Amino acid sequence: MAGVKRNPPRLGGGRLRTSLLARTNVVLAFSAVAIAATALAALQVFVLGPMTERSADDEAGLVVLSAQTWAELPDYTDARPAFELEMARMHDLVISSDIRDLPPAAADNDYHALLRARISERLGAPVRLLEGDELVWAELPIPGGRLQIGFAPGQQDDQLPYVGLIIGIVGAGIVLVTSSLVVRRIAQPLAETAGAVEAFRGAEGFSPLPEKGPRELVTLAESFNRMAREISTLLSSRTTLLAGISHDLRTPLARMRLAVELLPDDVDPKLVARMEGNLERMDELIGDALRFARGAGAGAPGKVVSN
């Protein structure tokens, strides 16, 4: 008889069963996404939000203080030009009493809205934010007129989506590498165990699994090796017992044949024929048992010896 055929991969729920590595990667990927979303939310609530408000408050205070200081300086001296130069050099503020007609700043920028609110609170009057010359201009009312102060739009772009993208990409890479290393340490011994279980047929001389790795895998390997040794010992004992019994039956069978041969001639020939037939059948059964015992003891794993 040909060797036992290996069964094809089983299907679970109409789909091919995925590997441990793939399943773990999927679970860790969802976990990484949840962690990244939580980190972004915490970053926005506890870091970026307070920093933006503090930055807007500081810049609003600097703009209002600069406007009030400029208005208090005498206009008949060089104090105002010197102050404008100092503010441009030290704080990157451009102070201009020449009012220009500039377009309004972007209305969808949260930082602009926050800055406008902070400046209005400090002045107690509404202000406008304008854009021009790559600067954001705050138009403030001062005694005797208006003043425009320009500053760099450092907080104009919302960086949160880019931060989220970076966290997602880096997190996905870390999860992929980490899960591959961790799961491979588990999946490889499990694959070796599965192969050993599939190949084991109770024959002697099987290759024991290496008893190394994590405690659970070591326990699994020890249990399999102990079970395989016990099964091999049991099959070997059964084969030896079967061969011994079959061999020992040949002696009384031969005596029975001799007794039939020595029967008187007046014995019914049909009865003698039936007895000889039964003895022949018993001899065939004993022969089959001996051949099976020899085949089970010396046959290769996965092979079935036929008569």
Side-chain angles (χ1 to χ4, degrees):
M1 185 182 294
V4 178
K5 294 184 179 179
R6 185 174 297 178
N7 294 330
R10 294 183 178 180
L11 297 179
R15 297 177 299 177
L16 188 64
R17 293 180 178 178
T18 55
S19 64
L20 177 63
L21 177 62
R23 293 187 178 186
T24 305
N25 280 334
V26 170
V27 174
L28 291 180
F30 280 110
S31 301
V33 171
I35 293 174
T38 304
L40 287 177
L43 184 66
Q44 175 64 27
V45 173
F46 299 106
V47 180
L48 295 181
M51 287 180 58
T52 301
E53 293 182 1
R54 189 179 305 112
S55 177
D57 192 65
D58 292 344
E59 193 153 19
L62 180 61
V63 169
V64 172
L65 181 60
S66 300
Q68 292 173 347
T69 304
W70 186 91
E72 293 174 358
L73 293 174
D75 59 355
Y76 52 84
T77 64
D78 295 335
R80 285 182 175 177
F83 179 72
E84 293 172 2
L85 182 61
E86 183 70 13
M87 296 304 294
R89 186 175 64 87
M90 296 296 295
H91 301 286
D92 294 329
L93 292 182
V94 180
I95 302 176
S96 175
S97 59
D98 183 14
I99 304 301
R100 295 182 296 169
D101 187 14
L102 299 175
D108 57 348
N109 191 290
D110 295 336
Y111 181 73
H112 287 172
L114 184 60
L115 182 60
R116 185 185 301 111
R118 292 291 188 268
I119 296 175
S120 300
E121 289 175 3
R122 290 179 178 271
L123 290 177
V127 298
R128 294 195 306 159
L129 292 185
L130 310 173
E131 287 184 335
D133 302 330
E134 298 182 355
L135 297 176
V136 176
W137 296 83
E139 187 172 302
L140 291 76
I142 59 174
R146 292 178 298 166
L147 190 67
Q148 289 183 342
I149 300 179
F151 49 88
Q155 298 284 344
Q156 187 171 358
D157 296 328
D158 190 2
Q159 301 296 327
L160 189 60
Y162 300 101
V163 174
L165 181 62
I166 293 174
I167 292 178
I169 294 176
V170 174
I174 293 175
V175 167
L176 181 61
V177 174
T178 304
S179 63
S180 298
L181 293 177
V182 173
V183 177
R184 284 184 187 279
R185 292 189 61 187
I186 300 175
Q188 184 174 0
L190 289 178
E192 294 177 358
T193 303
V197 171
E198 185 177 0
F200 180 68
R201 293 296 182 271
E204 296 181 354
F206 76 97
S207 299
L209 291 174
E211 299 175 0
K212 61 181 181 179
R215 180 177 57 188
E216 293 80 5
L217 295 179
V218 171
T219 303
L220 176 62
E222 291 176 348
S223 300
F224 173 77
N225 292 337
R226 183 169 57 253
M227 178 201 69
R229 284 191 292 267
E230 291 175 354
I231 292 177
S232 297
T233 302
L234 177 63
L235 292 179
S236 177
S237 300
R238 185 202 66 177
T239 301
T240 302
L241 178 63
L242 181 61
I245 293 175
S246 301
H247 187 271
D248 291 343
L249 288 176
R250 285 290 177 88
T251 300
L253 185 64
R255 293 176 180 174
M256 293 173 66
R257 285 180 180 275
L258 180 60
V260 171
E261 293 292 336
L262 296 178
L263 287 175
D265 295 336
D266 57 350
V267 178
D268 186 1
K270 293 182 179 181
L271 178 60
V272 174
R274 285 199 302 271
M275 294 179 63
E276 290 178 347
N278 291 331
L279 292 174
E280 185 65 27
R281 180 56 182 164
M282 291 176 62
D283 186 62
E284 291 179 359
L285 292 175
I286 294 174
D288 292 341
L290 287 173
R291 284 190 294 271
F292 174 76
R294 287 194 295 268
K303 299 292 184 178
V304 178
V305 178
S306 60
N307 297 317

